[in-house]
Amino acid sequence: MLLEILQNKIQIVDTVQNWQEAIKVAAFPLLKDNCIEMRYIDAMIEMTEKYTAYIVLNEGFAMPHASSEFGVKRMSASLTIFKNPINFMGKFVGVVLCIAPIDKTSHMRLLQDVAVTFSDPQNIIKLVRANNVSEIESILKKLSESEVIFE
């Protein structure tokens, strides 16, 4: 499910000024694809300020999100690899997965796939070292085939 929902929403970025800009850049594919409204990006930034521990899930990986009531039009996600890790309030992050849930339950399968894929720090390192989007897609495909992904 993860790779399918990320279709045309994976990008590689060299650097940004701060974590707020990182969220804006990482969410841009969702905005461009009309999955979210601009106010959802603002809500993700606010959530990150209040609940960093629920957004930066481990060293190297952040998953900004907010409630669907803040402008989610359809469930989706975007993946951004930052070649120069971003300081998210003391934790350095190179992989940012923005998720846009349409309600409180329909994205649970996606979260299970995310947990399996991004809980291993070696997987995060592989993604940060990728040279292009095709390589990222290939890594994600191999991980989904080799890991136990929940049905």
Side-chain angles (χ1 to χ4, degrees):
M1 176 177 209
L2 179 61
L3 192 54
E4 293 85 20
I5 205 161
L6 290 173
Q7 189 78 32
N8 299 316
K9 294 182 212 71
I10 300 173
Q11 59 186 347
I12 299 173
V13 175
D14 284 330
T15 192
V16 293
Q17 295 281 326
N18 52 46
W19 65 265
Q20 295 94 332
E21 186 181 352
I23 291 175
K24 290 176 185 176
V25 168
F28 182 74
L30 298 174
L31 192 63
K32 181 180 170 188
D33 200 32
N34 204 30
C35 299
I36 61 169
E37 297 172 12
M38 187 66 195
R39 64 189 178 116
Y40 186 74
I41 296 172
D42 296 334
M44 285 192 293
I45 291 170
E46 186 176 322
M47 287 292 294
T48 302
E49 288 172 343
K50 289 182 181 178
Y51 307 107
T52 306
Y54 297 103
I55 304 298
V56 181
L57 301 178
N58 60 28
E59 194 73 30
F61 178 67
M63 189 173 64
H65 59 283
S67 176
S68 60
E69 67 193 43
F70 294 106
V72 175
K73 296 179 180 182
R74 67 177 194 267
M75 187 175 85
S76 194
S78 62
L79 180 67
T80 303
I81 307 301
F82 290 96
K83 289 301 186 177
N84 294 300
I86 310 307
N87 185 342
F88 271 73
M89 292 172 269
K91 292 189 178 182
F92 286 88
V93 170
V95 177
V96 176
L97 178 75
C98 291
I99 62 168
I102 198 69
D103 57 32
K104 293 184 181 206
T105 59
S106 62
H107 62 292
M108 290 301 144
R109 166 79 196 286
L110 172 65
L111 291 180
Q112 291 170 333
D113 288 358
V114 167
V116 170
T117 302
F118 296 102
S119 62
D120 184 345
Q122 290 302 313
N123 293 344
I124 294 168
I125 291 169
K126 288 176 191 175
L127 290 166
V128 171
R129 289 182 178 164
N131 294 311
N132 55 55
V133 171
S134 295
E135 196 174 330
I136 293 168
E137 290 171 340
S138 177
I139 291 166
L140 292 173
K141 186 173 190 294
K142 286 178 187 172
L143 289 172
S144 71
E145 292 168 352
S146 64
E147 302 275 354
V148 176
I149 301 293
F150 299 92
E151 295 297 329

